């Protein structure tokens, strides 16, 4: 693991879904994961009740596009992800700089979100939407 990117834990993981209802049925009804809709985002189903993951959420693709590009359409010239994972890091600025220095295309760079998380996002080679984050409310 790179010294510049000091990962502390997986902050969150979940699929990026096109059909919320079908995926809700699969994850909640078939697999038995207790998810509930968010107050501000009623089609974003989450849980903090899975051991090993601080947050699991089915993120609609249009919301991921809004987060990365500021509009609800994923750009046709960028592979659409089918999953997301976030790694909380000790120093978000240093991690962001390390990713830039290594030549990665950052979709979002060290942006503070309204809920208090600071995030840098990029796509993995296989198209997983990866977040390098500072998530104060998930730290002990």
């Amino acid at each position: 693991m790179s010294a510049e990117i000091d990962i502390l834990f997986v902050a969150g993981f979940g699929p990026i879904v096109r059909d919320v209802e079908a995926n809700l049925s699969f994850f909640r009804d078939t697999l038995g994961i207790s998810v509930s809709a968010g107050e501000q985002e009623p089609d974003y189903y989450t849980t903090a009740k899975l051991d090993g993951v601080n947050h699991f959420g089915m993120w609609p693709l249009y919301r991921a596009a809004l987060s990365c590009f500021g509009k609800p359409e994923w750009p046709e010239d960028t592979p659409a992800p089918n999953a997301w994972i976030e790694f909380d890091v000790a120093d978000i600025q240093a991690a962001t700089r390390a990713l830039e220095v290594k030549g990665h295309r950052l979709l979002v760079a060290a942006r503070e979100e309204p809920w208090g998380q600071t995030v840098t996002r990029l796509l993995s080679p296989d198209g997983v939407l990866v977040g390098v984050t500072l998530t104060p409310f998930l730290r002990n």
Side-chain angles (χ1 to χ4, degrees), residues 16-137:
I16 294 177
V17 301
R18 289 177 174 79
D19 185 334
V20 173
E21 291 304 316
N23 281 278
L24 180 60
S25 175
F26 175 74
F27 287 103
R28 183 187 61 198
D29 303 334
T30 301
L31 296 181
I33 297 173
S34 175
V35 294
S36 58
E39 287 182 32
Q40 296 177 337
E41 299 179 39
D43 59 352
Y44 182 68
Y45 290 86
T46 70
T47 186
K49 298 176 183 175
L50 282 178
D51 289 341
V53 175
N54 285 307
H55 178 91
F56 172 87
M58 292 183 293
W59 200 8
L61 181 60
Y62 82 93
R63 288 195 183 277
L66 279 169
S67 179
C68 293
F69 304 105
K71 58 184 180 176
E73 297 83 26
W74 194 268
E76 289 190 22
D77 65 345
T78 303
N82 60 12
W84 64 276
I85 189 166
E86 293 182 349
F87 297 104
D88 225 60
V89 297
D91 184 334
I92 187 67
Q93 300 301 331
T96 300
R97 282 191 303 276
L99 292 166
E100 289 172 327
V101 165
K102 293 178 181 190
H104 292 283
R105 176 183 172 214
L106 303 183
L107 305 177
V108 174
R111 181 178 69 206
E112 186 172 343
E113 300 288 8
W115 51 89
Q117 180 185 48
T118 303
V119 64
T120 295
R121 290 196 178 96
L122 64 155
L123 288 171
S124 76
D126 286 330
V128 173
L129 184 58
V130 176
V132 176
T133 66
L134 172 67
T135 314
F137 55 87

